[in-house]
Amino acid sequence: MADREEKIKMLRKEFKDDSNYNRPTYCQECGGVMVFKGVGEYKCEKCGSVAYDDYGKARNYIEQHNGVTSAQVSEATGVSQKAIREMLKEARLEIAPNSNFFLTCEICGAAIRMGRYCPKCEVAYHRNLEEKARARNEKMAGFSTEKPKGEDGSKRFKREGL
């Protein structure tokens, strides 16, 4: 029995991470496994109780209280403002159109309502990534149209003693 509890503690520690928005893995009521149902909602396999991760809590609160600030969401739900900012940058949440608060594009500094880049910079950023990937693929060994330099068709390894 002690082995089982140690394994459960280890699993809980593995799943505990700031980047996963405090996703519930085990039911608080019966200890059953929580199954993801969508939009931050989890349901227990055994007893059917429902729990929410940080995203689900924030989203539900924002849907019920239109136009709230991140500080109000944080205070009401217990979700950190840092996590709320990350959700905005991941475009999981969006700032209300009539809000005075905004994010800035990480490239040009323009005001945006969600994500990391403005539409113009996002297109340029992804084009740049595609060009780099294309250049990298063209230089792959064995697939290049470029002739090897300095070898002029000589064998790479020579047998000695024959």
Side-chain angles (χ1 to χ4, degrees), residues 50-66:
V50 176
Y52 295 93
D53 62 9
D54 288 350
Y55 171 69
K57 291 175 190 174
R59 181 180 169 155
N60 289 339
Y61 187 79
I62 291 168
E63 285 177 354
Q64 293 169 359
H65 304 89
N66 196 10

Side-chain angles (χ1 to χ4, degrees), residues 7 17 21 32 38 44-45 47 50-51 54 58 71 77 83-84 89 94 117-118 120 126-127 139 153 155:
K7 287 180 184 178
D17 186 14
Y21 301 125
C44 178
E45 284 183 329
C47 69
V50 176
D54 288 350
T77 61
I84 293 169
K89 287 183 177 185
E94 184 176 347
Y117 310 112
C118 68
K120 182 178 127 188
H126 287 291
R127 281 191 183 145
K139 291 183 180 180
K155 293 182 180 179

